Amino acid sequence: MATELDAGWAIDWLRRCAAVIAGHRTELIELDRAIGDGDHGENLDRGFRAVTAKLDTDVPDTPGAAFKLAAMTLMSKVGGAAGPLYGTAFLRAATAAGDAPALDAPALAAALAAGRDGVVARGKAETGDKTMIDAWTPAVEAAAAAADRGATPAELLGEAATAAEAGAVATDPMVARKGRASYLGERSAGHRDPGAASSALILRAAAEAAAAVEPGGSPAGGPSA
Amino acid sequence: MATELDAGWAIDWLRRCAAVIAGHRTELIELDRAIGDGDHGENLDRGFRAVTAKLDTDVPDTPGAAFKLAAMTLMSKVGGAAGPLYGTAFLRAATAAGDAPALDAPALAAALAAGRDGVVARGKAETGDKTMIDAWTPAVEAAAAAADRGATPAELLGEAATAAEAGAVATDPMVARKGRASYLGERSAGHRDPGAASSALILRAAAEAAAAVEPGGSPAGGPSA
Amino acid sequence: MKKLINDPRAVVDESVQGFGLAHADLVSVSADPLFVFRREPARQGKVGLVSGGGSGHEPLHAGYVGLGMLDAAVPGAVFTSPTPDQILPATLAASTGAGVVHIVKNYTGDVLNFETAAELAQAEGVEVRQVLVNDDVAVEDSLYTAGRRGVGGTVLIEKIAGAAAERGDDLDAVAAIAQRVNDSVRTMGVALAACTVPHAGVPSFELAEDEIEIGVGIHGEPGRHRIAMESADGITDRLLQPILTELDLAAGAQVLLFVNGMGGTPLSELYIVYRRAAQVLAEAGAQVARSLVGNYITALEMQGCSISVLRLDADMVELWDAPVHTPALRWGV
Amino acid sequence: MKKLINDPRAVVDESVQGFGLAHADLVSVSADPLFVFRREPARQGKVGLVSGGGSGHEPLHAGYVGLGMLDAAVPGAVFTSPTPDQILPATLAASTGAGVVHIVKNYTGDVLNFETAAELAQAEGVEVRQVLVNDDVAVEDSLYTAGRRGVGGTVLIEKIAGAAAERGDDLDAVAAIAQRVNDSVRTMGVALAACTVPHAGVPSFELAEDEIEIGVGIHGEPGRHRIAMESADGITDRLLQPILTELDLAAGAQVLLFVNGMGGTPLSELYIVYRRAAQVLAEAGAQVARSLVGNYITALEMQGCSISVLRLDADMVELWDAPVHTPALRWGV
Ligand SMILES: Nc1ncnc2c1ncn2[C@@H]1O[C@H](COP(=O)(O)OP(=O)(O)O)[C@@H](O)[C@H]1O
Ligand SMILES: Nc1ncnc2c1ncn2[C@@H]1O[C@H](COP(=O)(O)OP(=O)(O)O)[C@@H](O)[C@H]1O
Ligand SMILES: [Mg+2]
Ligand SMILES: [Mg+2]
Ligand SMILES: [Mg+2]
Ligand SMILES: [Mg+2]
């Protein structure tokens, strides 16, 4: 297993995001239709398709540069609440990653934490408000614990994704206090938050891209679109 | 059986019209919905309810006066095509009936013919155009034959109603050439003309009112609303 | 059926009452018999302009009462022509001595009721001219129909004839320009879903999820034929083609393009239709000099639209641009 | 789903193109990034007014670009806030050096995207004030929500702030009057049937034949609670009551009454609602000094309406009456 993840991994991650979001587009629309306005799957799909289109002409050479490309593209193509929030997450992660050609486990944990902090700074949501934060915060915590323990990047991301998935499931009974679902009051309980669900998908894609990396450091060949 | 029908019969007829149209309101709406705009039952119901309301305060003393009351009320309350057409029919029938205190069979046949001619004069429809004329013309012809033969008024009206009913049924396969149904072209075939159907109901009410007349000349007690 | 109504039999009365309250600066309402007329009487000697017909086409006709358009409007029951006892007093209210033009959509009921009212008005000394609107190319104008229907063109005729009357044209001239507009405008409509007449309670026709009705009128009556659902561009082409065939525009002809919503179609979709219609007209060499897009003559909440094309002349352009101040159409004032 | 569209993903682009063609005398369209701006640039020194948000609310916002109202409008995807790369150039196009006010409906997405764009504009030397619209009394404004939504009041704010900018008010004054209108207007909506977002293809919520959704927003999001169908008068009372509680009008207070259609409701029904609302306001001792009835801020073809009541002061009346010339709102010119 690689001890560092480079730009190849980051690019592979973003391409996997596009694939997994396209595959879950309808499901995310349905989740958002229940407690929001039904556009989350469409918006993210449009955004990540734009990211892969951008990657076809523009090849970032550091993870930070890849995150920045994703941030700018999501910010200008997604719109809605998710566009600026995911955009900020990737932008802050890019800043945390800096110019490093590759990220080790502690750097990955720090990038995830910076991304989460960016979402909180923009959206002011707290844990339990039934937002994407409820997926991100357990993921950040799991990543920190894994890094402390000396886990590999792939292990770290796998544990973060698992925590995000559990966090997304945990939003089901919550009453929303932020975003469009908050207008529903008590009626928002009993539905999964779409942003938490998409966050879990995105983090799982990161883990899968890491798992696909050959010891040498580049991906073993993930989906390319 | 009475050999003449007086104002009591005419009033009873109009009240029976109101009852029978109210009872067939939905059916007439359905017929008009299929090849027109779905208001025929509602319009006639509104009109004949106004006629009975009028009759509650205003008691005509000749058949002609009753027809005139119906004419003016239908003209001002029904609207659409049927309002002026039925209004004209009753107005011409009133003119034909004149001041006579009661109508014998030939006078009834003449009043029906005058009514039919009024509809033709206003609406310019010919036999086979799939309109109320296709009920009225056979009725007028049956009435003339009955009068020639010396039938009683009740017999005459019974035969006219039966002919009108057959005439209405005969509109089913016709392609409309007048009124709103003509816009449908060939698609108007296979549906009964609503105006022909309501004409048959109205003429059947006339026959029933006549059948209810005691030998003395006033109705045996038809529905009063 | 779910509607924002109280008693289905009171919809027209209550709606016109609300209309009168909302536009008390422009119109007055006579409650019984029901009609709407200008609050400020027109100046003496102006030709009066009256229209009316079944309700359910709002803002037509009451929404067009005011300066530069109608003097009075007569709403019937939903989709049912009004009666002479409404039309007569509306005609008298619109009369300043210079005669009155009745703009009547060509439906048997409207024609007969307005005819009777015109006779009665004439008996009271008011000269009346009836102009029939029959712009619908979906219906063949032949011995075998009641003739073409009056649809979208009605709005354009009321605006242009209203401006002519306001300018001071005499009775014959106002009737003549109304007739000229009628002769120069063609319309065709489509329904994606039918409307429900309040007193009927069920949709006026049934369309499957993949069907549309081409050549539909404005009374919830079925159209000329039913086809499978198509793209907006495809539908637009279908509606425009018979219009263009009938109008036979010369190269460079100036036209007014009117995309009208039937009541239940979002404005954004009307603009998608407008976009294609403008392309097709440009390809046909016509010049779209004036436009109107919106819900101007509706069929309750029917989903669909109609396209009207009016061949303009210089006088029509001047009259179209003239000030108008009504509840539903306003500019220049 | 049957709609007059071509590709569901092209609806906004094609619709705005058609809009630009139909109103080329008033507006220009930037295709990519997509925004709409006044054809005649405003005079130097006029404060710029920009609004935007998800599409599907037509005629909002692009329909209000023109003299006396907005300088630019930024349409996002359907029900999705636009992005900073659209908002920034629209802001620059609206800037004549006197600063720009962003009128932003209070939705997380709109707020965040306009915030980013404002930062970017400020970096380019354009001073920006953001005014949040949050007039919807259906949503409790508390720590436990994203705050009240911006709905019907948006139209009134854009008109009045637009007139203030046209009059020559400076940046702070225009932002202040926009804020004052926001603080004086309350709105509540109802849906009888949901709308269908083109890319979703299914209605945004399901209502049974005898259910309505009270306190609905304009994005097809469900409302605050669901009740059994009622009469128009009953529904009107339900919508008005929380508005009146919040506004706490003094006896004789002048108000503007705005009955807004959600897109799929006939105008005639809006007037039935208006009639009852006017009655209730009169009983409450308020004086309806100005009215607006029609489809001004919609949710695609949603069936339903919203009622807004604005407590007027003399300056607001003057600014409301000031000339406006936009595709969707026009008077005095
Ligand atoms: N203030 C917030 N902080 C964090 N996340 C938020 C906030 N508001 C909304 N979200 C997230 O955004 C998701 C909705 O995204 P999307 O549907 O794309 O935007 P919109 O609500 O504008 O339609 C929600 O499910 C939630 O996870
Ligand atoms: N020109 C005509 N001559 C005779 N009857 C006609 C004519 N036009 C229509 N009708 C009759 O009127 C009926 C429709 O009446 P109604 O529905 O009340 O009027 P509308 O068509 O105005 O809605 C038709 O079924 C037909 O019998
Ligand atoms: Mg959403
Ligand atoms: Mg009918
Ligand atoms: Mg009718
Ligand atoms: Mg959204």
Side-chain angles (χ1 to χ4, degrees):
Chain A
M1 276 290 150
T3 57
E4 293 200 325
L5 296 174
D6 63 6
W9 159 78
I11 293 170
D12 185 37
W13 174 22
L14 295 174
R15 291 195 184 278
R16 284 174 187 266
C17 283
V20 78
I21 292 292
H24 290 76
R25 177 180 167 279
T26 312
E27 181 189 321
L28 294 172
I29 285 176
E30 283 305 304
L31 291 178
D32 195 30
R33 205 162 71 86
I35 57 170
D37 58 354
D39 59 0
H40 189 61
E42 173 70 13
N43 293 350
L44 284 187
D45 184 34
R46 184 175 58 245
F48 277 106
R49 277 189 290 120
V51 170
T52 54
K54 191 94 190 154
L55 288 172
D56 288 342
T57 58
D58 197 347
V59 183
D61 52 6
T62 62
F67 299 168
K68 178 129 194 241
L69 177 151
M72 301 315 286
T73 309
L74 294 177
M75 208 98 94
S76 80
K77 291 296 173 211
V78 175
L85 293 174
Y86 276 121
T88 302
F90 276 101
L91 199 60
R92 296 286 183 98
T95 308
D99 293 338
L103 305 176
D104 62 10
L108 278 170
L112 285 181
R116 190 270 318 265
D117 292 349
V119 175
V120 171
R122 293 298 314 260
K124 314 272 178 327
E126 292 171 18
T127 307
D129 283 355
K130 194 175 184 118
T131 69
M132 57 174 71
I133 286 303
D134 294 312
W136 278 85
T137 292
V140 165
E141 286 165 2
D148 283 354
R149 209 191 59 227
T152 65
E155 285 164 1
L156 178 150
L157 289 172
E159 286 163 32
T162 302
E165 284 157 1
V169 171
T171 65
D172 289 7
M174 292 178 185
V175 172
R177 286 194 289 245
K178 279 282 181 291
R180 211 174 281 283
S182 71
Y183 307 138
L184 278 179
E186 302 289 332
R187 286 167 76 191
S188 62
H191 299 275
R192 186 155 311 166
D193 177 63
S198 61
S199 295
L201 293 173
I202 287 170
L203 289 172
R204 177 60 64 200
E208 287 175 355
V213 172
E214 294 291 324
S218 47
S224 73
Chain B
M1 274 288 148
T3 58
E4 292 199 326
L5 296 175
D6 63 6
W9 160 77
I11 292 171
D12 185 37
W13 174 23
L14 295 174
R15 290 194 185 278
R16 284 174 188 266
C17 283
V20 77
I21 293 292
H24 291 75
R25 176 179 167 279
T26 312
E27 181 188 321
L28 294 172
I29 285 176
E30 284 304 305
L31 291 178
D32 196 29
R33 207 161 69 85
I35 57 169
D37 58 355
D39 59 1
H40 189 62
E42 172 70 13
N43 293 351
L44 284 187
D45 184 35
R46 184 174 59 245
F48 278 106
R49 277 189 291 120
V51 169
T52 54
K54 191 95 189 153
L55 287 173
D56 288 342
T57 57
D58 197 346
V59 183
D61 53 6
T62 61
F67 298 168
K68 177 127 193 245
L69 177 151
M72 301 314 286
T73 309
L74 295 176
M75 208 97 95
S76 80
K77 291 296 173 211
V78 175
L85 293 175
Y86 275 122
T88 301
F90 276 101
L91 200 60
R92 296 286 183 98
T95 308
D99 293 338
L103 305 177
D104 61 10
L108 279 170
L112 285 180
R116 190 270 319 266
D117 292 349
V119 175
V120 171
R122 294 297 314 259
K124 315 270 179 329
E126 293 171 17
T127 307
D129 283 356
K130 194 177 184 114
T131 70
M132 55 173 73
I133 286 303
D134 293 313
W136 278 85
T137 292
V140 165
E141 285 166 1
D148 284 352
R149 214 194 52 228
T152 64
E155 285 165 2
L156 177 150
L157 289 172
E159 286 164 33
T162 302
E165 284 157 0
V169 171
T171 65
D172 288 7
M174 293 178 185
V175 173
R177 286 193 289 245
K178 278 282 179 291
R180 212 173 279 284
S182 70
Y183 307 138
L184 278 179
E186 302 289 332
R187 286 167 77 192
S188 63
H191 299 276
R192 186 154 312 166
D193 177 63
S198 62
S199 296
L201 294 173
I202 286 169
L203 289 172
R204 177 59 64 200
E208 286 175 355
V213 171
E214 294 291 324
S218 49
S224 71
Chain C
M1 174 186 69
K2 273 189 289 187
K3 289 178 178 289
L4 286 168
I5 63 175
N6 297 301
D7 176 359
R9 285 188 165 139
V11 289
V12 174
D13 284 331
E14 291 187 354
S15 176
V16 176
Q17 273 173 32
F19 172 83
L21 289 171
H23 304 291
D25 53 329
L26 291 175
V27 302
S28 299
V29 172
S30 156
D32 189 12
L34 186 67
F35 64 96
V36 174
F37 57 108
R38 279 203 212 182
R39 192 196 136 124
E40 301 283 339
R43 84 190 132 61
Q44 282 307 109
K46 189 190 90 68
V47 170
L49 206 61
V50 175
S51 192
S55 290
H57 308 303
E58 291 71 24
L60 193 83
H61 296 271
Y64 302 129
V65 172
L67 180 91
M69 222 162 157
L70 300 180
D71 295 283
V74 196
V78 174
F79 294 164
T80 298
S81 151
T83 56
D85 63 325
Q86 301 170 259
I87 303 168
L88 173 62
T91 304
L92 299 180
S95 163
T96 71
V100 173
V101 175
H102 282 174
I103 306 282
V104 181
K105 303 193 294 307
N106 186 36
Y107 301 95
T108 308
D110 291 283
V111 174
L112 294 177
N113 286 288
F114 270 90
E115 255 173 31
T116 305
E119 273 177 47
L120 297 169
Q122 246 132 3
E124 301 207 18
V126 175
E127 221 181 324
V128 175
R129 295 272 184 290
Q130 188 184 65
V131 176
L132 288 182
V133 185
N134 67 345
D135 56 320
D136 188 356
V137 296
V139 172
E140 279 159 47
D141 187 10
S142 73
L143 286 176
Y144 305 107
T145 66
R148 287 198 311 234
R149 297 174 292 206
V151 285
T154 313
V155 180
L156 312 182
I157 293 169
E158 292 180 3
K159 167 66 185 89
I160 292 174
E166 209 71 58
R167 172 171 78 180
D169 287 16
D170 69 17
L171 183 60
D172 286 331
V174 173
I177 181 89
Q179 187 62 53
R180 200 161 88 244
V181 176
N182 182 63
D183 296 343
S184 310
V185 63
R186 293 293 184 277
T187 300
M188 182 128 165
V190 63
L192 276 57
C195 55
T196 299
V197 177
H199 63 245
V202 284
S204 52
F205 52 88
E206 317 282 350
L207 281 173
E209 186 48 43
D210 58 350
E211 284 177 346
I212 59 176
E213 191 86 23
I214 293 279
V216 83
I218 53 170
H219 294 87
E221 66 268 50
R224 195 73 182 177
H225 51 274
R226 194 161 287 191
I227 62 166
M229 182 62 193
E230 285 192 356
S231 69
D233 288 357
I235 292 169
T236 303
D237 291 354
R238 271 184 199 276
L239 299 184
L240 263 181
Q241 187 261 311
I243 293 173
L244 293 180
T245 303
E246 286 229 12
L247 278 183
D248 195 19
L249 297 170
Q254 288 210 325
V255 299
L256 185 156
L257 171 57
F258 172 26
V259 177
N260 173 62
M262 292 295 195
T265 291
L267 191 54
S268 51
E269 296 180 21
L270 300 182
Y271 282 117
I272 292 177
V273 170
Y274 181 94
R275 170 183 169 276
R276 176 64 186 168
Q279 282 172 357
V280 173
L281 284 167
E283 282 161 20
Q287 191 206 329
V288 178
R290 295 293 181 274
S291 297
L292 188 67
V293 184
N295 292 313
Y296 291 100
I297 170 169
T298 61
L300 295 171
E301 75 286 0
M302 189 156 85
Q303 277 179 38
C305 72
S306 65
I307 301 178
S308 301
V309 179
L310 166 62
R311 197 187 327 107
L312 290 165
D313 59 32
D315 196 34
M316 289 185 205
V317 172
E318 180 188 317
L319 292 166
W320 178 258
D321 290 344
V324 59
H325 186 178
T326 70
L329 213 59
R330 180 172 179 183
W331 56 72
V333 59
Chain D
M1 174 187 71
K2 274 190 287 187
K3 289 177 179 287
L4 285 169
I5 62 174
N6 297 303
D7 175 359
R9 286 191 163 137
V11 289
V12 174
D13 283 330
E14 291 186 354
S15 176
V16 176
Q17 273 172 32
F19 171 84
L21 289 170
H23 304 291
D25 53 330
L26 291 175
V27 302
S28 299
V29 172
S30 157
D32 189 12
L34 186 67
F35 64 96
V36 174
F37 57 108
R38 281 202 210 181
R39 192 195 135 124
E40 302 283 338
R43 85 190 131 60
Q44 282 307 109
K46 190 189 91 68
V47 169
L49 205 60
V50 175
S51 192
S55 290
H57 309 303
E58 291 70 24
L60 191 86
H61 295 272
Y64 302 129
V65 172
L67 179 89
M69 221 161 157
L70 300 180
D71 295 283
V74 196
V78 174
F79 295 164
T80 298
S81 152
T83 55
D85 62 325
Q86 301 171 259
I87 303 166
L88 173 64
T91 304
L92 300 180
S95 163
T96 71
V100 174
V101 174
H102 281 174
I103 307 282
V104 181
K105 304 194 294 306
N106 185 35
Y107 300 96
T108 309
D110 292 282
V111 174
L112 295 177
N113 286 288
F114 271 89
E115 257 173 30
T116 306
E119 273 177 49
L120 296 170
Q122 247 131 2
E124 302 208 18
V126 176
E127 221 181 324
V128 176
R129 295 273 183 290
Q130 187 183 66
V131 176
L132 287 182
V133 186
N134 66 345
D135 56 320
D136 187 356
V137 296
V139 171
E140 280 160 46
D141 187 11
S142 73
L143 285 176
Y144 305 107
T145 66
R148 287 199 311 235
R149 297 174 293 207
V151 285
T154 314
V155 179
L156 312 182
I157 294 169
E158 292 180 2
K159 167 66 183 87
I160 292 174
E166 209 71 60
R167 172 170 78 180
D169 287 15
D170 69 17
L171 183 61
D172 286 332
V174 173
I177 182 89
Q179 187 63 52
R180 200 161 87 243
V181 176
N182 182 64
D183 295 344
S184 310
V185 62
R186 293 293 183 278
T187 300
M188 181 127 164
V190 63
L192 277 58
C195 56
T196 299
V197 176
H199 63 246
V202 285
S204 51
F205 52 88
E206 317 283 349
L207 281 174
E209 186 47 43
D210 57 350
E211 283 177 346
I212 59 177
E213 190 87 22
I214 294 280
V216 83
I218 51 169
H219 294 86
E221 66 268 51
R224 195 71 181 178
H225 51 275
R226 192 162 288 191
I227 63 166
M229 181 63 193
E230 285 192 356
S231 69
D233 287 358
I235 293 169
T236 304
D237 292 354
R238 270 183 200 277
L239 299 184
L240 263 181
Q241 186 261 311
I243 293 173
L244 292 180
T245 303
E246 285 229 11
L247 278 183
D248 195 19
L249 297 171
Q254 289 210 326
V255 299
L256 185 157
L257 172 56
F258 172 27
V259 176
N260 173 61
M262 292 295 195
T265 291
L267 191 53
S268 50
E269 297 181 21
L270 301 182
Y271 282 117
I272 292 177
V273 170
Y274 182 93
R275 171 182 168 275
R276 176 64 186 168
Q279 283 172 359
V280 173
L281 283 168
E283 283 160 20
Q287 191 206 329
V288 178
R290 295 292 182 275
S291 297
L292 189 67
V293 184
N295 293 313
Y296 291 100
I297 170 169
T298 61
L300 295 170
E301 75 286 2
M302 189 157 86
Q303 278 179 36
C305 72
S306 65
I307 302 178
S308 301
V309 179
L310 167 61
R311 197 187 328 105
L312 291 165
D313 59 32
D315 195 36
M316 288 185 205
V317 173
E318 179 188 317
L319 292 166
W320 179 258
D321 290 344
V324 59
H325 187 178
T326 71
L329 213 59
R330 180 171 179 184
W331 55 73
V333 60

